[in-house]
Amino acid sequence: MHVGPVNILDRVLYAGLKNNVGFTSQEFVEAFQFSLKKTRELFQVDNTYQPFLIPGGGTSAMESVTSLLKEGEKVLVVTNGVFGDRWVNIFRKYPIKVNVLSTEPGYYVEPETIEKEVKKDKYTLVTFTHVETSTGVRQPIKDSVKAVRDYVDLVVVDGVSSVGAEEVKAKDWGVDVYLTASQKALGVPPGLGILVLSERAMERLKDEKSIAGYYLDLRNWLPVMNSMENGKASYFSTPPVHTILMLSEALKIIIDEEGLESRIKRHEKVASAIRAGIEGMGLEIVAKKPEAYSNTVTGVILKKTNAGNVLSEIVSEGVELAPGVHPKLQGKYFRIGHMGWVTENDAIVTIASIERVLSKLGEDIRLGEGIKATQLYLAK
Amino acid sequence: MHVGPVNILDRVLYAGLKNNVGFTSQEFVEAFQFSLKKTRELFQVDNTYQPFLIPGGGTSAMESVTSLLKEGEKVLVVTNGVFGDRWVNIFRKYPIKVNVLSTEPGYYVEPETIEKEVKKDKYTLVTFTHVETSTGVRQPIKDSVKAVRDYVDLVVVDGVSSVGAEEVKAKDWGVDVYLTASQKALGVPPGLGILVLSERAMERLKDEKSIAGYYLDLRNWLPVMNSMENGKASYFSTPPVHTILMLSEALKIIIDEEGLESRIKRHEKVASAIRAGIEGMGLEIVAKKPEAYSNTVTGVILKKTNAGNVLSEIVSEGVELAPGVHPKLQGKYFRIGHMGWVTENDAIVTIASIERVLSKLGEDIRLGEGIKATQLYLAK
Amino acid sequence: MHVGPVNILDRVLYAGLKNNVGFTSQEFVEAFQFSLKKTRELFQVDNTYQPFLIPGGGTSAMESVTSLLKEGEKVLVVTNGVFGDRWVNIFRKYPIKVNVLSTEPGYYVEPETIEKEVKKDKYTLVTFTHVETSTGVRQPIKDSVKAVRDYVDLVVVDGVSSVGAEEVKAKDWGVDVYLTASQKALGVPPGLGILVLSERAMERLKDEKSIAGYYLDLRNWLPVMNSMENGKASYFSTPPVHTILMLSEALKIIIDEEGLESRIKRHEKVASAIRAGIEGMGLEIVAKKPEAYSNTVTGVILKKTNAGNVLSEIVSEGVELAPGVHPKLQGKYFRIGHMGWVTENDAIVTIASIERVLSKLGEDIRLGEGIKATQLYLAK
Amino acid sequence: MHVGPVNILDRVLYAGLKNNVGFTSQEFVEAFQFSLKKTRELFQVDNTYQPFLIPGGGTSAMESVTSLLKEGEKVLVVTNGVFGDRWVNIFRKYPIKVNVLSTEPGYYVEPETIEKEVKKDKYTLVTFTHVETSTGVRQPIKDSVKAVRDYVDLVVVDGVSSVGAEEVKAKDWGVDVYLTASQKALGVPPGLGILVLSERAMERLKDEKSIAGYYLDLRNWLPVMNSMENGKASYFSTPPVHTILMLSEALKIIIDEEGLESRIKRHEKVASAIRAGIEGMGLEIVAKKPEAYSNTVTGVILKKTNAGNVLSEIVSEGVELAPGVHPKLQGKYFRIGHMGWVTENDAIVTIASIERVLSKLGEDIRLGEGIKATQLYLAK
């Protein structure tokens, strides 16, 4: 129940059990081709969008957005926490102007606030974080994009803790770059950044000039994506072959077997059951409003116990949780990741383990009531 | 027998079969710690050198060298082919001056030529390619470094197709940055760039200023390396957890079980047996002088057959070879990769398969004589 | 939560991932040798006992006991259900006399009853079933053996659902043949019967004459056991190589890592937590007295729901239970297997799932109270 | 290159990577059902034949033939070596009369000799060994069955080293019981005996009386086979679940992907290439006439080297061979197993390794000529 890397389905793991599959092999090319196709479905886009699979993860995918920017342009970062702030850290390394809109932990930046800002100034690009992994707060993306769409060239969404678990409609919502990583709600080992780019974003790749470096310049990866989509091997730099084989298997399960809609509903149910348990035992959630609750991460505020003790103690129950990393709440909360292949049983086990550990550590909770609340929620 | 990714030992592959190992887990931290320690032995350096494991591969490791450079500095690239030229492509993306010394395919740039160049002009950094994967030509690194050491600040060697299969003595030879990737002679799936940096190189990381971006700025990864080496989890951006688990197993075999020296000897024997077979059947090798022969890649020049036909035909023999990618020899040669876990049996099978396929395609060779020559070499 | 085959630890499963290990290989011989050694510890016997690993499982191990019998001898079968009755079915195929002591489902045959019987008549051999898998009833072996020891030549105990999860002291208790199978509390895939024989039992193997057939005549397997124990490959008939590799890994975990005592305590705790949950939700257990409760199997009596419906419904909760197979209670109960690698989390999930499914099927239970009772038991 | 267990295809091995598949699970039932169906194709029989999958291997399958016999009946064993003799060892344990026809190592018993014998006396059952694993000699089954068909009730063939690699037409040839094991030419781990029974043989199972014991009485397994074939779980004694999952995958490859005919041709080509190599280096084969050569096992007679030395020495070449076990040729020959997933590359590697090892041990061979002969044979 970590916020990532998450537990991996055996079937996904075993798809990478290949000791002689090179990047020019038929098997790999087919897995790559399939993954590109299914990536479009994952982000709910059509052929006007170009998918990219690049090495690294969320951060490399974020930084590859520099491929779309030129020296001197201005960007707005809308941030609700640590991973929103990461956009600032990246952009500050480049010769562009960066402005930031942020908020208190537990809250998201209101669309109206954002709208005001983009009307005030000319921004080439705005970035959002769909689910802020550091707090579990979900930004209302659809409304946020609507608020800025007419005023900026490019809208970028970091969907690292949302894609595959939350509703994501990149095209309908008018997002130019939607990105995620393999190791979160897709339930694949870490190693891949995944993006889709709109026609408007792709137009910018035609211009050879950009602030990007070499490895993360999407221009270098584009011929590989095109060739792989056409079933032919192509080389720029060796991709993480085995991770792509596993991604391909995961996307087959996510899109073709479980179905994206069912998968999102499953995440919603598990998340709700977990929140029911947390509230049942008498604790508070970091996200302040129900519409900011996410399907993937729940921050839990402790009354008197130190979060670090909870994390180290609960490992012996066979459950791994994540520390709270928002600097303003340091040590006062922990995070439950509930994404990927999580089940109702995981909700049951997690709440039961949290209850027992907190009870043992002397936290003021109602032992037995959390697990009962989760059970009653699931039995509904 | 591809030039990479290469065949992977089952034991290495199975080390990655973990469905619930996060980057904060004890098991992962220990594998990371062990890998850092063994990486030093791999490059033959002591604690004055700092090892780095970063996502990506050879190219990301190469680009991370920008962490050591400042705007306006001048670098010299010594290149014998496609992968030497890659340094030029990377550096040209940054605000620095780049000069190039190159040579014809099959040859390496002579140390004297390099010495002349570094005496002429002030270079902050010089790059070499130990084994040029595109042709199989080996640069004499020891002598090359000696030729420049007194005139430049930093000496960088791309050891992607050499580390783990050729003699590499980063410290003794006075190399500041020696790098490789997981998927070549180490026989691990792709996904990792691996570097060691001298004290002189590390000194440059103390200065916050550099031309580097964010993801490939070694400054961001340094605290993770330090923490992991001390047995504590630490986070900058999610690393490819499973690939590191596999690297750890591979390094255990390479250093502690097979032994680096035995491993290099094995590569040398297999490479020699393959060259004996190639010459035995009457074909010529791309590398022009025996001292330029590498232990890892052999380019084979064809008399009249198209290289593409050989590659597609030989797949049905259960052997995969690599195309010749040097633009000046396009279609006229193919490459045999013989690195990682290659055995004498692989030499036998590869030569036998090449012979049969070439004979079938009408190439002018002596059928049966190549395999006999390989066999007699091995029986010595 | 099936009564067997049970869930298998990944580490055990992966120990069988060998594509080229023959029965003469060093690796296999060592695994066999280690398994024989650890088998002695498993049954708490010393070198005066001879361990056997034979193909098949519980039934083949049971039938191999015919190696100890001669035409016309008389045996007594003490049976509490289906698997006790199996002894009768086996022995009736052979030219010996068979007598049976049985009881109602939920009960065991009292040691005094058994003592009376063996005093009445001369029996060469008596068989017991430690835990009757069909009902979850545990026979008090220590007392039962004490009751017969002075009156019979050989005491045989079927420990299929007990060894590795219940206290078993073959030597201290004076048992001549104690047997189990790989797929139960040892948590290994099915395919192996495992036995230890006392000196008294081994004495009988010296006589070439017996009623046994060929494949299950322990005389044929003895030289293999001896040779393997001495580290040398030996052949009678090909053993299930991969299953033995997995058994070896499992025994390493059971004996050397978890420790037999801890393992038995874990089983006891999980079993108690499950029974607390069953009683908490208001249902009755098949075994009638607490001292007949087993650490491995719990039979649950339903008030009005059909057991078949529970079993098919609960599969969609990710939990597999076993049907009640005792003919006298057909359709009225189901069985929970809790052996092998079961954890407290498994107890939680199983009880939660049973509650939800029974509630859905309209059974008269207290929803939420079962899981709460399990949780409170575990929190103690 | 052992005579069994043989190398296993990764895909087959990975099909057994299931940690929670019980014998009542849908997945297992489907694998069992599929295996039964494909077993018929494997033996070239239609629905008038009943397939059986039973625990154990070749020996348990052989002993299960006792299910078809009654006290006092007479059987004829036709044997060319150690595994033919095994029939005698089995039958002698039972109250039936056994007669034997045998021959010198390297030869098979001529059909005319057998015909004479069955005309002389009334035999209920005759057994043949298709390929005698101890020498590699192939019995001409079609002609042998023709010779006895009119005079005996039941014709039984041990196809352990033939089924899946040699032409086998159980129905066309009129065989009543054809049997094999999982670990030979089917390339599955050991653990299963596989049989098909004709209507005539099945008729005998209707009679409850037989000499068989309990575990190997096919009557006990028949309801399981029937139920599984109808897609319903059924229990007699726990089968080796994982081995059946692997068998199912292997049969899918053998029958549906490679095709039985192609598979037999592949075995024939590899066997011929190996024999070409053996003769090329100047050694003699155990089987005396070309029509006795088998596709699966080749015995090689040494001139002066001790066979044991060859076997221990060749392991370091990564090749495992089998000892010669025929008592009359003890120490004078070794065996090459070439069955399962063997390829032309295996023939190349095996011959090359044998050559180098024999040369090193001082055997009188023509170094380089064996491997050249194999290569020229394959290049034809």
Side-chain angles (χ1 to χ4, degrees), chain B residues 113-179:
Chain B
T113 315
I114 311 170
E115 188 170 357
K116 261 181 231 159
E117 180 56 36
V118 294
K119 280 177 169 170
K120 266 203 313 218
D121 209 342
K122 172 61 200 166
Y123 290 102
T124 301
L125 184 149
V126 180
T127 71
F128 297 105
T129 308
H130 194 167
V131 172
E132 171 56 51
T133 317
S134 67
T135 56
V137 166
R138 182 171 68 189
Q139 178 81 22
I141 289 300
K142 191 180 169 184
D143 292 347
S144 304
V145 176
K146 201 184 280 176
V148 304
R149 190 61 279 185
D150 292 347
Y151 309 99
V152 302
D153 292 347
L154 299 170
V155 177
V156 176
V157 183
D158 164 0
V160 162
S161 281
S162 75
V163 175
E166 301 274 3
E167 185 178 62
V168 166
K169 302 200 162 185
K171 189 182 165 78
D172 284 2
W173 298 347
V175 177
D176 295 299
V177 181
Y178 224 115
L179 65 89

Side-chain angles (χ1 to χ4, degrees), chain C residues 279-322:
Chain C
E279 288 168 354
M281 71 180 85
L283 293 177
E284 203 188 316
I285 286 161
V286 172
K288 291 307 162 217
K289 305 181 200 169
E291 70 263 30
Y293 290 163
S294 77
N295 289 349
T296 54
V297 178
T298 297
V300 178
I301 298 175
L302 292 162
K303 292 176 185 168
K304 50 185 188 182
T305 318
N306 178 277
N309 296 347
V310 179
L311 298 188
S312 54
E313 193 66 36
I314 206 163
V315 164
S316 65
E317 304 291 330
V319 171
E320 211 183 335
L321 299 173

Side-chain angles (χ1 to χ4, degrees), chain D residues 107-148:
Chain D
Y107 297 91
Y108 55 80
V109 181
E110 295 292 338
E112 306 81 63
T113 315
I114 311 168
E115 187 170 358
K116 260 183 233 158
E117 179 58 34
V118 294
K119 278 178 171 170
K120 269 206 307 219
D121 209 342
K122 173 61 200 165
Y123 290 103
T124 301
L125 184 149
V126 180
T127 72
F128 296 105
T129 308
H130 194 168
V131 172
E132 172 55 51
T133 316
S134 67
T135 56
V137 166
R138 182 171 67 190
Q139 177 83 19
I141 291 299
K142 191 179 169 184
D143 291 349
S144 304
V145 176
K146 200 184 279 175
V148 304

Side-chain angles (χ1 to χ4, degrees), chain A residues 2 4-10 13-14 16-25 55-60 63 83 86 89-90 93-94 183-184 188-191 208 210-217 219-220 235-243 246 320-321 323, chain B residues 2 4-10 13-14 16-25 55-60 63 83 86 89-90 93-94 183-184 188-191 208 210-217 219-220 235-243 246 320-321 323:
Chain A
H2 203 280
V6 300
N7 269 24
I8 297 159
L9 220 55
D10 282 346
L13 207 58
Y14 299 164
L17 271 181
K18 301 283 172 176
N19 59 17
N20 55 2
V21 171
F23 60 83
T24 56
S25 71
T59 308
S60 67
E63 189 161 357
F83 288 92
R86 175 151 292 199
N89 295 333
I90 292 171
K93 286 282 189 170
Y94 290 87
Q183 83 276 15
K184 298 275 181 169
V188 173
E208 274 307 306
S210 84
I211 55 170
Y214 182 73
Y215 193 61
L216 299 178
D217 188 346
R219 283 164 193 82
N220 287 326
Y235 175 77
F236 157 58
S237 175
T238 310
V241 171
H242 299 74
T243 318
M246 291 186 264
E320 210 183 335
L321 299 174
Chain B
H2 202 280
V6 300
N7 268 25
I8 297 160
L9 220 56
D10 282 346
L13 206 57
Y14 299 163
L17 271 181
K18 302 282 171 175
N19 59 16
N20 55 3
V21 171
F23 59 84
T24 57
S25 70
T59 307
S60 68
E63 189 161 358
F83 288 91
R86 176 150 291 199
N89 295 331
I90 291 170
K93 286 282 189 169
Y94 290 87
Q183 82 277 11
K184 296 278 181 169
V188 173
E208 272 309 305
S210 83
I211 56 170
Y214 183 73
Y215 193 61
L216 299 178
D217 189 346
R219 284 165 193 82
N220 287 326
Y235 176 77
F236 157 57
S237 175
T238 310
V241 172
H242 300 73
T243 317
M246 291 187 264
E320 211 183 333
L321 298 174

